[in-house]
Structures are given as C-alpha cells and as structure tokens.
Amino acid sequence: MRQLIPLLLCSLFGAGPALACQLALVLAVDVSGSVDNREYDIQMQGLAAALRDRAIVNALIEQEAAVTLIQWTGSSRQRQTIPWTSLLTPQDVAELADAVEENRRVWRNYSTAIGEALVLAEEALRAVPHCTRRVIDVSGDGVSNEGVHPRDRHAALAEMDVTVNGLAIETDEEDLTGWFFENLIRGEGAFVMTANGFEDYPAQIRRKLRREITRPLSNLRICDHAAFTCDHKYQKIKVFPTNRAK
C-alpha cells in the first residue's frame, strides 16, 4: 500500500513521474448509535469484500485511484480512520481491503450528522487536488438529525466539483432512499442505492462501488438491469435492489 504523501513529494520534486489519479473516493461509513456492533462488522466486512472484487480492483488500479475512509456519527464526531491511499497495484488494493476489515470502531451511541460527515469529506478532498474526479460515498441507516443539513453543503461541494452518492440501509418504514435522493446526493451522475437491512449491505455496496468507480462516459444513458429506474448520466437516479419490496 502506498500512502499519497511520499508519492506527492516525489512528484513535486521531480523524483519520478507525476501521478495520474483519475478518482479520489471518500468512503463515509455510519457508526451512529442505531448501528450495533454486529451491524458495524457487517459494514466493514462487506466493504472489504467489495474491495476484493476483481472488477473493482481492476477499475481502481486503472484509474490510479486514491481512497480514504471516514467513520461518522453525531456533530464533532467524524474521523478519517484510514488515510488517503494510492492504489496502483493489486497488492495496494488488497492491503486497503485488509485495513478496512480491521478498522476499529471509533464511536458508539451518538446521533446522525450526515452534513458534518460531508464537511470532513470536503476537507479530506482538499488534500488530493490532482485527482480529476472526486466522489463521496455515504452509507447510513437513518436521516440526519443533528448538525448542518446535507443540502447546506451542496454549494460548497459544487464549487469543488464533488459528486455525492448514497447507500440507504433501510431498516424501517422511513423511506431513507427517498430522503437520500432529495437531501444528500448531488453532482454529475449522482445516485442512491438501497440495501434492505444490514444483511443486504455487502451485496449492495459491491454493486455501488462497481457503478461509481467505473469511469463515466460522455452522453451515456445509464441503465442497471437490476434497477427499477434508468436515466441519463447527468441526472440523479435511484437504483433499487432486485428484492426490494414493492
């Protein structure tokens, strides 16, 4: 695994070729009070398994991606627990997957401050200005109930040309998918996917990473064969799992 700082120093001082990072990806994981330890483990193990998926590994390497992980919960309780990591080889991605799987939980029993998670993600993205595409991947099981509202961060995110995608973990009748669609996601090709409970999270985070890591193509109409909706890539869309209750 190669940390970005040494690579950046080499690039700045001419001791090697310049980085060609085409994707900076922030993985923002919910550790609020509604997530118990078993559900936290499901998220970490599911995310690690997705990062071992051959298609995802190849796409990350092809784009010389930089990836970081943020744990988020209530106001003032968000932390970048895995630093920016440059992914240039299969070994780099394998080591990142191991780090995710072993990432210890920082907080328990606090509120849900999604807007605050976006603030920390913005700060993190300023460290990788050389990456041509910037994406924040937010997963969570509840609406924001503390701190800045996610929509209030959209203007700043637009200035940075950041896309925010969401994975709504549905655990009740709240229609979190709809809330994410209306209040969280923004940017070119932004989308929401749905996990029907935490047990469905591993399958859906794999689908989600495959979708957002793949390089966008101009004037492409995006259709997911397992989705209920299909739309042009410049519009926000909802993508539901095949087993979503109608």
Side-chain angles (χ1 to χ4, degrees):
M1 189 183 299
R2 297 176 174 84
Q3 303 301 329
L4 275 179
I5 291 176
L7 286 171
L8 284 171
L9 290 174
C10 288
S11 193
L12 287 171
F13 291 98
L19 286 175
C21 174
Q22 297 170 45
L23 171 66
L25 177 64
V26 179
L27 301 170
V29 177
D30 184 358
V31 297
S32 60
S34 60
V35 178
D36 64 28
N37 288 336
R38 182 186 68 87
E39 292 164 345
Y40 173 78
D41 289 341
I42 289 173
Q43 289 184 92
M44 293 297 102
Q45 293 167 11
L47 186 53
L51 290 169
R52 296 180 180 119
D53 178 272
R54 182 176 298 180
I56 292 171
V57 171
N58 290 340
L60 288 168
I61 294 169
E62 178 187 2
Q63 297 181 67
E64 301 189 15
V67 177
T68 187
L69 187 138
I70 287 173
Q71 293 187 29
W72 63 269
T73 176
S75 292
S76 76
R77 292 182 175 89
Q78 297 81 34
R79 185 177 300 174
Q80 191 174 1
T81 57
I82 296 179
W84 283 112
T85 303
S86 181
L87 304 176
L88 306 179
T89 69
Q91 183 65 24
D92 293 337
V93 187
E95 291 181 6
L96 175 63
D98 290 344
V100 168
E101 196 165 35
E102 297 165 5
N103 199 232
R104 297 183 63 182
R105 186 172 187 169
V106 179
W107 290 288
R108 296 175 178 83
N109 304 322
Y110 290 102
S111 300
T112 304
I114 301 176
E116 306 292 332
L118 294 179
V119 171
L120 180 57
E122 292 169 35
E123 295 173 0
L125 285 165
R126 292 190 181 95
V128 286
H130 59 289
C131 295
T132 56
R133 185 161 66 99
R134 290 165 289 278
V135 177
I136 303 173
D137 176 329
V138 179
S139 58
D141 74 339
V143 303
S144 192
N145 57 24
E146 187 173 87
V148 62
H149 195 283
R151 279 200 312 266
D152 293 340
R153 301 309 308 164
H154 282 188
L157 290 163
E159 287 183 7
M160 297 175 65
D161 194 22
V162 174
T163 297
V164 181
N165 298 321
L167 176 56
I169 306 170
E170 298 279 7
T171 57
D172 51 35
E173 301 301 319
E174 193 171 36
D175 187 19
L176 185 60
T177 300
W179 192 92
F180 273 22
F181 185 81
E182 296 296 335
N183 298 282
L184 173 62
I185 67 172
R186 71 147 313 276
E188 182 178 304
F191 63 92
V192 182
M193 282 188 172
T194 303
N196 290 323
F198 281 91
E199 289 72 15
D200 192 33
Y201 174 90
Q204 300 311 322
I205 192 63
R206 186 188 301 258
R207 290 180 64 217
K208 185 171 187 291
L209 288 178
R210 282 188 174 190
R211 183 188 183 91
E212 66 194 349
I213 290 172
T214 302
R215 197 180 314 176
L217 301 176
S218 298
N219 300 319
L220 175 67
R221 187 171 178 79
I222 297 176
C223 296
D224 189 316
H225 294 297
F228 291 144
T229 60
C230 164
D231 213 332
H232 191 279
K233 84 181 190 71
Y234 293 113
Q235 297 176 347
K236 300 193 300 185
I237 67 174
K238 296 179 184 178
V239 182
F240 301 120
T242 54
N243 61 343
R244 178 179 170 87
K246 296 181 180 180

